[in-house]
Structure formats: structure tokens, C-alpha cells
Amino acid sequence: MRNIILKSFETFIAQPFSLLKNKIVRITNLKSDFLSSNAINVSVLDDAVQIDVVNSEKAYNLLSAVVYKRKMNELRQVKIDENKTSAIFN
């Protein structure tokens, strides 16, 4: 299982960061009785990056937590930048 996750991250990181930086990241958790193995598929779409996690709740939770923390860090940085600019104009 760990090797599958690491290979998927390698595939995801291999994409140029300029393509991924300003895109929406969507993560879907799929449960299938037809597929017995776990899989992670990454698709780069026009306006988003979609990560499909099949039969692996742990991988889905991990990826969701990473995306959530990234968004929170971005919001924190925006607030810090806003405070700096408002302090300059006061």
C-alpha cells in the first residue's frame, strides 16, 4: 500500500508546478466492489487537478488533510499580507 501511495505522489509531483499552482484540487473517494486493489489516479484538467482515490480511506484522508492545510496556510498568508499593507497606509 505504501509503495502505491509513494508512486502516486511521484506522478503528482512530476507535473510542472506552474500547472498545479493556481488550480483547484478536487479529491474524490471511490469505493468499488469490482476492484479489489487500491489505486490513486491523478488527472490534470483545464481548471482543476482531480485525484481519485479508489478503495483507500486512509489515502483519501491523508490527501484531504494536505489540501486543507495548504488552503489554511494560503489564507493565513493573505491575512498577513493584508495586515502589512493596511499598516503601511495607516
Side-chain angles (χ1 to χ4, degrees), residues 68-82:
Y68 175 77
K69 287 179 183 180
R70 179 179 170 208
K71 287 180 183 179
M72 293 306 293
N73 286 337
E74 288 174 359
L75 288 174
R76 248 185 248 126
Q77 188 61 43
V78 167
K79 286 185 179 182
I80 290 170
D81 293 343
E82 286 176 355

Side-chain angles (χ1 to χ4, degrees), residues 6-19:
L6 292 176
K7 287 179 185 177
S8 298
F9 273 100
E10 289 172 4
T11 302
F12 184 69
I13 291 173
Q15 297 293 326
F17 282 117
S18 61
L19 291 174

Side-chain angles (χ1 to χ4, degrees), residues 23-38:
K23 297 200 180 232
I24 298 170
V25 176
R26 292 186 295 213
I27 302 171
T28 59
N29 186 20
L30 306 171
K31 294 181 182 179
S32 174
D33 294 331
F34 299 109
L35 298 173
S36 61
S37 64
N38 301 341

Side-chain angles (χ1 to χ4, degrees), residues 4-67:
I4 293 171
I5 292 173
L6 292 176
K7 287 179 185 177
S8 298
F9 273 100
E10 289 172 4
T11 302
F12 184 69
I13 291 173
Q15 297 293 326
F17 282 117
S18 61
L19 291 174
L20 302 176
K21 187 173 182 181
N22 294 322
K23 297 200 180 232
I24 298 170
V25 176
R26 292 186 295 213
I27 302 171
T28 59
N29 186 20
L30 306 171
K31 294 181 182 179
S32 174
D33 294 331
F34 299 109
L35 298 173
S36 61
S37 64
N38 301 341
I40 299 175
N41 300 313
V42 179
S43 303
V44 179
L45 308 170
D46 289 339
D47 61 342
V49 175
Q50 182 165 329
I51 302 171
D52 298 319
V53 181
V54 180
N55 294 337
S56 179
E57 185 110 10
K58 289 180 182 180
Y60 172 76
N61 291 338
L62 173 69
L63 292 170
S64 296
V66 168
V67 170

